């Protein structure tokens, strides 16, 4: 997809959302860099709406990671 967000955690590369050219996405996949296997990650809590051109910042503490999504375009007009 185009305009997705990518972040790293441990040995994984995560990719969230983006745009296929026809529709926006809100799925989260990760690549295990040791096995080179892609997997879909299930999310808990409030899942962001489908969007592209967003930014994700991460905060890692001990063995956990929190990802914070900012902005992006959901296809609706912006003011």
């Amino acid at each position: 997809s185009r305009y997705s967000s990518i972040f790293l955690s441990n040995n994984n590369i995560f990719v969230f959302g983006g745009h296929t050219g026809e529709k926006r996405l809100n799925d989260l996949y990760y690549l295990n860099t040791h096995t080179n296997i892609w997997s879909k990650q299930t999310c808990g809590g409030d899942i962001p709406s489908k969007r592209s051109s967003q930014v994700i910042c991460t905060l890692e503490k001990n063995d956990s990671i929190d990802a914070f999504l900012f902005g992006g375009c959901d296809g609706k007009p912006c003011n």
Side-chain angles (χ1 to χ4, degrees):
S1 70
R2 301 179 299 180
Y3 314 111
S4 55
S5 291
I6 299 171
F7 63 96
L8 308 173
S9 176
N10 296 322
N11 299 310
N12 298 310
I13 300 172
F14 289 84
V15 179
F16 174 81
H19 194 277
T20 66
E22 296 179 11
K23 64 179 182 174
R24 286 173 176 77
L25 307 169
N26 68 339
D27 46 7
L28 178 64
Y29 283 87
Y30 66 94
L31 172 67
N32 181 308
T33 58
H34 289 295
T35 63
N36 287 326
I37 295 174
W38 283 96
S39 301
K40 187 170 185 177
Q41 177 70 45
T42 55
C43 300
D46 294 329
I47 298 173
S49 62
K50 296 178 180 184
R51 60 190 51 247
S52 59
S53 302
Q54 67 280 349
V55 175
I56 293 182
C57 298
T58 59
L59 176 63
E60 295 189 52
K61 185 175 180 183
N62 300 326
D63 291 331
S64 68
I65 182 171
D66 291 320
F68 301 93
L69 183 140
F70 297 93
C73 179
D74 61 3
K76 298 175 186 171
C78 299
N79 293 330

